[in-house]
């Protein structure tokens, strides 16, 4: 069955459940693949990723996944302007689901003016226009951008891997594995619905290490956008040098720290994470040690994302809010248009 037969794009729960199918929904076409090969053969100094919010996250996850597999820098900009050193030896990959996000468009124009080659991922609109003859990967329309993450990643990761001359990750297999694993969640000690119940009266704080840092950030954004709930994320080891002091306020404010555990943790990191969990407990918090026991780095990045996306729709239901519409984001975009 194709994803079009099983996913209802007017329903966030349906899009979130369709995460594994969406991971195989939008492979790059031959033209884009050939262009990626051509750019790699010509030689590149680095990759600049552009995108905001739900459109930035696929790039962030890929960047963290690839961080130690390539000698080339992968830089992510979520702003209007790009660093001075971006020039014609860099490839700029811009993602904007709507194709109309002003920060992405501004940075994209600047990259073009510096002579950078570009590849765009969008449903159309201004980004497609700006891209001109350079490659554009057209995304399926009708989604909320944040729900399109697996679709964007299914096209973006292979393009980045070709640009960087890396072995291609078998996303088809990963997607089937994640589909299987998610069918077993109901029997787990902590399900997405259980986590959502715990988060109802608390402020979730997702804590990740290495490739799970953007996953923790994504979880926070999904609580914000789907469940309309204030939530935070942080990264280890950095949080041990600042945030840990904030645990003193756990007695006054109810936080729900959720530690995303990885099979890649070495002894030192494990000790650090366990000591951090202990500190939260000593200060009156009840942290969740989430270990999905997934078989590889990419399974962890995408499996945890799927799990926590599901938590966000459960939380939206518990809180009685509509997970689809993001009226404050839309209103703010309108206000800014008026003020232009
Ligand atoms: C809405 C969402 C937002 C958008 C962001 C950028 O579902 O996830 O975070 O992704 O406002 O807009 P696009 O993705 O259209 O460039």
């Amino acid at each position: 069955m194709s994803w079009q037969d099983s996913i209802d794009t007017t329903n966030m729960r349906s899009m979130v459940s369709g995460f594994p199918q969406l991971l195989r929904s939008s492979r790059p076409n031959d033209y884009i693949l050939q262009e990626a090969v051509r750019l790699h053969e010509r030689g590149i100094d680095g990759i600049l990723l552009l995108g905001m919010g739900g459109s930035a996250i696929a790039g962030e996850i890929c960047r963290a996944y690839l961080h130690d597999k390539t000698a080339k820098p992968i830089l992510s900009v979520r702003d209007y302007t790009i660093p001075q050193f971006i020039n014609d030896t860099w490839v700029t990959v811009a993602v904007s689901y709507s194709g109309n996000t002003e920060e992405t468009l501004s940075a994209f124009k600047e990259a073009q003016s510096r002579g950078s080659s570009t590849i765009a991922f969008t449903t159309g609109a201004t980004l497609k226009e700006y891209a001109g003859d350079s490659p554009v990967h057209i995304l399926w329309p009708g989604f909320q951008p944040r729900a399109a993450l697996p679709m964007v990643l299914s096209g973006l990761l292979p393009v980045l891997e070709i640009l960087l001359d890396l072995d291609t990750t078998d996303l088809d297999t990963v997607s089937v594995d994640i589909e299987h694993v998610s069918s077993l969640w109901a029997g787990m000690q902590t399900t997405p619905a259980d986590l959502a119940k715990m988060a109802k009266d608390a402020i979730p704080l997702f804590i990740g290490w290495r490739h799970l840092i953007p996953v923790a950030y994504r979880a926070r954004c999904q609580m914000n956008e789907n469940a309309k709930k204030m939530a935070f994320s942080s990264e280890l080891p950095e949080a041990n040098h600042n945030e840990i002091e904030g645990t003193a306020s756990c007695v006054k404010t109810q936080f729900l720290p959720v530690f995303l555990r990885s099979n890649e943790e070495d002894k030192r990191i494990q000790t650090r994470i366990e000591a951090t969990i202990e500190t939260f407990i000593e200060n009156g918090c009840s942290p969740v040690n989430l270990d999905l026991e997934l078989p590889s780095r990419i399974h962890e990045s995408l499996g945890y994302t799927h799990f926590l996306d599901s938590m966000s729709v459960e939380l939206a239901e518990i809180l009685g809010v509509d997970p689809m519409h993001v009226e404050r984001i839309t209103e703010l975009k309108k206000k800014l248009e008026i003020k232009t």
Side-chain angles (χ1 to χ4, degrees):
M1 198 176 7
S2 76
W3 69 263
Q4 283 96 337
D5 301 318
S6 58
I7 298 176
D8 173 3
T9 56
T10 64
N11 181 307
M12 186 56 77
R13 185 179 283 278
S14 170
M15 288 187 280
V16 163
S17 328
F19 188 107
Q21 288 110 288
L22 290 173
L23 262 183
R24 33 182 203 264
S25 68
S26 188
R27 293 283 184 261
N29 65 30
D30 286 347
Y31 171 60
I32 295 174
L33 294 174
Q34 279 157 17
E35 277 297 290
V37 171
R38 188 185 66 78
L39 290 168
H40 155 68
E41 282 171 354
R42 194 204 61 186
I44 61 175
D45 281 349
I47 296 177
L48 172 67
L49 298 170
L50 303 178
M52 302 300 297
S55 282
I57 196 72
E60 292 293 339
I61 289 176
C62 291
R63 191 162 77 99
Y65 167 60
L66 299 173
H67 82 278
D68 59 357
K69 297 180 194 279
T70 172
K72 308 267 182 206
I74 308 174
L75 191 77
S76 164
V77 165
R78 287 181 277 176
D79 200 351
Y80 290 88
T81 60
I82 61 174
Q84 278 293 330
F85 56 77
I86 303 297
N87 58 24
D88 59 359
T89 64
W90 281 66
V91 177
T92 298
V93 182
V95 183
S96 171
Y97 187 81
S98 65
N100 282 327
T101 298
E102 64 178 45
E103 299 92 318
T104 313
L105 291 173
S106 156
F108 187 77
K109 270 258 162 239
E110 197 181 341
Q112 281 180 319
S113 74
R114 304 270 188 82
S116 168
S117 305
T118 63
I119 302 178
F121 284 68
T122 183
T123 52
T126 313
L127 182 57
K128 180 164 181 283
E129 239 172 70
Y130 279 11
D133 292 334
S134 56
V136 180
H137 178 102
I138 298 291
L139 299 164
W140 297 100
F143 280 73
Q144 273 291 330
R146 60 193 179 282
L149 179 157
M151 179 201 296
V152 173
L153 195 137
S154 82
L156 181 61
L157 183 58
V159 167
L160 296 178
E161 287 172 329
I162 292 174
L163 288 170
L164 297 166
D165 198 26
L166 299 172
D167 291 341
T168 320
T169 303
D170 180 0
L171 280 177
D172 287 342
T173 302
V174 175
S175 128
V176 170
D177 293 346
I178 289 179
E179 204 161 15
H180 171 68
V181 165
S182 62
S183 71
L184 306 175
W185 286 345
M188 276 180 49
Q189 200 189 349
T190 309
T191 66
D194 293 335
L195 263 190
K197 273 184 221 139
M198 292 181 218
K200 179 177 167 273
D201 297 314
I203 300 172
L205 168 61
F206 300 94
I207 303 161
W209 167 74
R210 205 128 321 154
H211 56 290
L212 297 180
I213 295 170
V215 174
Y217 175 72
R218 156 73 169 188
R220 163 223 157 141
C221 297
Q222 290 290 76
M223 301 309 137
N224 298 152
E225 292 186 62
N226 288 346
K228 323 296 178 224
K229 170 100 181 161
M230 203 48 103
F232 297 95
S233 66
S234 65
E235 59 182 83
L236 283 172
E238 174 62 16
N240 282 170
H241 300 272
N242 31 61
E243 183 182 271
I244 195 153
E245 285 300 330
T247 59
S249 69
C250 284
V251 275
K252 287 209 195 105
T253 314
Q254 206 190 336
F255 284 98
L256 176 70
V258 181
F259 286 82
L260 311 184
R261 305 302 301 267
S262 167
N263 278 331
E264 290 193 14
E265 289 163 16
D266 60 23
K267 206 70 219 104
R268 195 72 195 133
I269 285 295
Q270 258 175 28
T271 308
R272 191 179 268 286
I273 295 176
E274 276 145 31
T276 311
I277 291 177
E278 229 173 80
T279 308
F280 270 99
I281 296 172
E282 285 159 5
N283 283 276
C285 256
S286 303
V288 174
N289 186 46
L290 193 62
D291 192 350
L292 296 183
E293 290 174 19
L294 294 160
S296 77
R297 185 186 294 180
I298 192 71
H299 284 84
E300 286 185 351
S301 296
L302 299 172
Y304 276 104
T305 302
H306 184 28
F307 187 94
L308 296 167
D309 281 5
S310 305
M311 173 192 171
S312 74
V313 286
E314 297 294 347
L315 185 57
E317 191 169 310
I318 293 174
L319 297 176
V321 297
D322 172 7
M324 275 299 279
H325 297 111
V326 280
E327 59 183 75
R328 290 162 197 84
I329 296 176
T330 315
E331 276 306 309
L332 187 83
K333 284 183 180 179
K334 275 194 205 138
K335 274 185 207 162
L336 291 169
E337 259 166 47
I338 294 164
K339 291 184 181 173
T340 304

